[in-house]
Structure formats: structure tokens, C-alpha cells
Amino acid sequence: MITINFASRNYRLIALAAKGMIAGSVLLTLSAAMMLGTSVSLRRDISLLDQKLRNAETTDEQIKPVLGEREQLVKDLSAMSDLLETRRFSWTRFLTDIEAIVPRGVAMKHVEFAAHERTISFEGAAQSPEALRNLIVGLERSPSFKDPFLKHQSLEKGSISFNVVAVYHDNTGIAVAQGKKE
């Protein structure tokens, strides 16, 4: 015969399971509260960052016209400085210095002056190698030209085509001293 005792139950196991479920529920509730607190904190931080970003954008919009004015002022000052430098530069003295060094037998086709670098580039033709050599020697001996360099030379139809580069010094001190003597 089989006997079943319906009065005896193992309540300890059920009580332990209930306590475990209660502890799990409390743990889940605490972690949900922590996540909610972190979410609220992050939203507040995002709101503060958005406000700082808006403030920075308004400040940037206020500064843009000032920066534009500053940039225009720098351009104007640079243009004025270039204009003053150009007015101080004597083109007559420059051309006279070139004329003084060009020997007989040399013809200039193109003269280019870079004011900022103070370099001059000559393109031309010489009737003979001696005429070209006399041009280079004239550049070397002139107080107005420094470091002459023959970049290119070629023989074309009986004449020597050349390209010479040098640094130009306008010697304004010498011209002023000569002007006071006269």
C-alpha cells in the first residue's frame, strides 16, 4: 500500500525560495533606481552642455564681425605697407642701375623684379660669349646687384639666349649722400 502524508510539506525550501525571490526583487529595484538616477544625472549634464553650446554659439556670432573687421584691417595695413614700400622704391634708379651694367652686344627681352624677395630676372640675347660674360662681370662688380646666377643659356640663330637672376639692393643711402654733395 502506498501512503501519502498530505500534512507534511517541506516549507523550508519554499521559504528559502521566497526569500531569494524577495532579495532578487529588492536588488532589481535598487539597480533600476540607480539607472534612473544616472539617467536623470546624464540628462541634466546634457542640458548644461547644450546651454554652454548655445552660449558659445552666440559668443561666436558676436565675435565673427569683430574678427572680420580685424582681418580687413590687417589687409588694409598690409596694402598700405606695400604702397609705402612701392613709393619708397625708385624705379628710375632701378632702371639706371640696369642700364649701367648692360654691355654692348647684349639686348634685354624681359626684366622681371620681385619686390618682396628683391630679386631681378633678366632674359635676353647676347651677340657673343664675351658680351654675356661682360654682363655677368658687370652684375658682380655693381654695388646694386648681388649674387648673379646664369640660370640658362642656349645658342639660337647666331646669338646666345640667356636667363640671369640676381638680388637687387637699391643703395638709397648712397644716392642720398650723393644728392647732398651736389
Side-chain angles (χ1 to χ4, degrees):
M1 168 156 131
I2 299 179
T3 60
I4 299 177
N5 186 359
F6 289 108
S8 73
R9 244 177 160 186
N10 193 353
Y11 291 105
R12 284 185 238 167
L13 185 60
I14 293 174
L16 186 62
K19 287 179 185 178
M21 291 176 99
I22 290 173
S25 295
V26 168
L27 187 63
L28 286 175
T29 304
L30 287 175
S31 65
M34 286 175 49
M35 284 187 208
L36 184 62
T38 303
S39 173
V40 168
S41 172
L42 289 175
R43 284 184 184 258
R44 184 175 45 239
D45 291 345
I46 289 172
S47 153
L48 289 173
L49 288 175
D50 283 343
Q51 183 62 34
K52 286 181 181 179
L53 181 63
R54 281 192 294 275
N55 289 343
E57 286 174 350
T58 56
T59 303
D60 188 39
E61 290 298 322
Q62 291 171 350
I63 290 175
K64 276 185 182 179
V66 174
L67 289 176
E69 290 174 9
R70 181 188 176 277
E71 186 175 315
Q72 184 63 37
L73 184 62
V74 168
K75 285 180 185 177
D76 291 346
L77 287 174
S78 176
M80 291 169 116
S81 175
D82 289 344
L83 184 62
L84 287 172
E85 180 67 27
T86 302
R87 289 195 62 155
R88 197 170 61 192
F89 183 77
S90 173
W91 287 98
T92 306
R93 186 177 308 115
F94 173 70
L95 294 172
T96 302
D97 290 341
I98 291 174
E99 185 178 9
I101 56 111
V102 176
R104 191 173 294 261
V106 173
M108 295 293 176
K109 292 180 184 175
H110 181 77
V111 176
E112 183 177 335
F113 180 64
H116 291 291
E117 295 85 25
R118 308 294 282 183
T119 58
I120 185 167
S121 175
F122 301 105
E123 287 184 26
Q127 290 179 345
S128 66
E130 292 79 23
L132 181 56
R133 183 183 60 80
N134 289 339
L135 174 67
I136 300 297
V137 169
L139 284 167
E140 288 173 345
R141 290 183 179 166
S142 172
S144 299
F145 299 98
K146 304 291 180 217
D147 304 325
F149 178 69
L150 181 62
K151 286 179 66 174
H152 170 75
Q153 67 178 351
S154 62
L155 187 60
E156 294 178 6
K157 299 178 186 175
S159 67
I160 301 171
S161 176
F162 65 87
N163 186 338
V164 176
V165 177
V167 177
Y168 179 69
H169 298 282
D170 56 354
N171 296 324
T172 55
I174 294 172
V176 169
Q178 289 174 349
K180 289 182 180 178
K181 289 180 183 177
E182 295 176 12

